[in-house]
Amino acid sequence: MMKIVTIIGARPQFVKAAVVSRALDFFAERHRNKQINEVIVHTGQHYDTNMSDIFFAEMQIPKPHYNLHMGGGYHGVMTGQMLAKIEEILLEEKPDVVLVYGDTNSTIAGALAAVKLHIPVAHVESGLRSFNMRMPEEVNRILTDRISSWLFCPTKKAVNNLQGEGFMRKEMTGKYLIENVGDVMYDAALFYKDIAQPSETLSNVLKEVNYKFYLATIHRAENTDDMVRLKNIIKALECISRNIPVILPLHPRTRNIIQQYNIQLDNIKVIDPVGYFDMITLLEQCQGVLTDSGGVQKEAYFFCKPCITLRDETEWVELVEHGYNVLVGADYDKILQAQKESSAKQLDFSIKLYGDGTAGDKIIQKIVEVVLK
Ligand code: UD1
Ligand code: UDP
């Protein structure tokens, strides 16, 4: 019998965990002699229905056993309170492994609570680096990697980053593992694209823009919390919107700041954050993507769309190297130039950068090999 506690809390983690939970069920079905029990802890970092519940419903993620309701507030308070609550749960549940995803405050809180109780941590999406320590995500990633026993990397580059920091294949426990398994978000895109149906609300929006549009998302602190950057980006999206509609599913963080500073959005087609199925529809049907999201950069490539990234650096460097993605920061002229060029681009999306769509299975297989031996 093996028990895994999965810690999730923010939107991208629901997408990633959906893949691994499904792989776990699949494994358990094929190996009835190996009992695996997954206990899901939702920290509550994201809590609006369309930032959380909709993903559980659409992607059929098992209902969390615990919801800590720890959304909002400063990073220190949020992370500290999560840490204390997760520790209580781990003491009660006594799992063999704690599974964490990505680079949010929920990730580091889960990993830290586990390692202090000597419970091995498996980190999915390990080894990514932006080399920008001002990003909260970079701090979370580096610290989580340092205290994890299983470092599941999505790319060769991520493995190289870890090795460059002195990580070796086996260290101390003898259980220490670094493995390039591919990207779980690729697994998700492959699996859900065949079943995703757009909502009626989105179908009406698509009709309104005559099925020709760019898709934009903005939520990174480096953009939302810097008025010059945010205004430049909005001005550029407004300008693009005069030629081709731009649909912007607005993250609550950005919505709050836009309201607070009374920033006008006249032409951009702003909609509420959408569920994963609507997002797939938007990615499938758009002409191109403008984003500062980590996940959406890759999804643009999965759905064969050129991507313009509204950041100064990216962890997904292979997308830039292959010309699928252009980094423009928050520079008004560069954004407009990149959009013009992207509409004329002929890109070959046949190169496979993120594995073969079985990252979830590989992760479960590896954990089971060690824990159940
Ligand atoms: C977090 C992650 C970021 C990730 C993003 C995905 C950290 C440090 N940041 O950023 O890495 O890219 O999630 O979307 O963990 N809010 C709501 N409703 C919600 C969720 C948030 O209104 O359901 C508002 C709250 O005012 C909250 C603010 O958004 O204070 C920011 O949320 P938070 O989870 O702190 O950070 P994100 O910007 O979402
Ligand atoms: N996403 C979504 N609806 C939206 C915006 C994003 O379903 O309105 C999905 C997106 O397709 C991807 C994930 O959320 O799978 C990315 O999350 P986000 O951009 O919030 O975080 P990041 O990847 O930057 O950490």
Side-chain angles (χ1 to χ4, degrees), residues 27 181-182 189 200 228 289 294:
F27 182 94
V181 290
E200 203 184 321
V228 175
V289 173

Side-chain angles (χ1 to χ4, degrees), residues 11-12 15 55 185 219-220 249 273-276 279 293-296 299:
R11 176 168 69 185
V15 175
F55 294 87
M185 289 188 90
H219 75 273
R220 289 291 172 152
V274 295
Y276 190 62
M279 195 63 183
S293 157
V296 177
E299 288 169 339

Side-chain angles (χ1 to χ4, degrees), residues 24-231:
L24 211 151
D25 279 354
F26 190 54
F27 182 94
E29 235 167 65
R30 276 176 304 154
H31 302 87
R32 290 187 191 274
N33 55 333
K34 297 193 171 157
Q35 277 191 8
I36 309 178
N37 182 9
E38 184 185 31
V39 174
I40 298 183
V41 178
H42 187 330
T43 63
Q45 182 171 348
H46 287 175
Y47 46 87
D48 292 344
T49 304
N50 55 0
M51 295 291 290
S52 173
D53 291 3
I54 192 168
F55 294 87
F56 285 83
E58 287 184 345
M59 304 181 91
Q60 295 180 354
I61 307 167
K63 193 173 154 33
H65 299 75
Y66 299 89
N67 190 323
L68 310 183
H69 301 290
M70 298 274 161
Y74 287 113
H75 285 224
V77 174
M78 187 200 285
T79 314
Q81 288 179 347
M82 285 176 188
L83 177 65
K85 282 277 176 206
I86 295 169
E87 183 175 59
E88 275 173 30
I89 294 169
L90 297 182
L91 283 167
E92 173 77 23
E93 294 286 347
K94 299 183 180 49
D96 299 287
V97 185
V98 167
L99 196 51
V100 296
Y101 294 87
D103 51 21
T104 72
N105 291 343
S106 301
T107 316
I108 182 63
L112 197 49
V115 78
K116 281 178 175 285
L117 295 171
H118 303 159
I119 302 167
V121 177
H123 184 202
V124 176
E125 212 178 67
S126 172
L128 296 178
R129 298 290 181 265
S130 65
F131 302 99
N132 175 0
M133 283 298 277
R134 288 182 59 80
M135 284 179 75
E137 292 85 2
E138 184 77 350
V139 176
N140 291 340
R141 289 179 195 122
I142 291 176
L143 299 182
T144 302
D145 281 338
R146 194 63 200 86
I147 56 180
S148 294
S149 294
W150 282 280
L151 297 107
F152 293 118
C153 299
T155 59
K156 180 81 182 69
K157 177 74 187 160
V159 174
N160 291 346
N161 285 339
L162 291 175
Q163 289 174 344
E165 289 174 14
F167 286 79
M168 285 174 287
R169 285 218 152 233
K170 282 189 192 281
E171 193 186 85
M172 291 181 313
T173 60
K175 287 183 183 169
Y176 193 103
L177 177 94
I178 298 176
E179 187 90 3
N180 175 9
V181 290
D183 183 15
V184 287
M185 289 188 90
Y186 182 46
D187 297 21
L190 289 179
F191 183 83
Y192 291 100
K193 77 178 164 49
D194 293 334
I195 49 177
Q197 290 293 329
S199 65
E200 203 184 321
T201 313
L202 182 72
S203 301
N204 290 334
V205 171
L206 294 178
K207 238 182 260 164
E208 252 179 69
V209 298
N210 216 3
Y211 305 95
K212 212 162 180 237
F213 63 94
Y214 268 66
L215 168 65
T217 77
I218 321 163
H219 75 273
R220 289 291 172 152
E222 71 214 61
N223 287 329
T224 59
D225 297 6
D226 179 328
M227 229 11 76
V228 175
R229 288 181 72 98
L230 185 60
K231 284 185 174 166

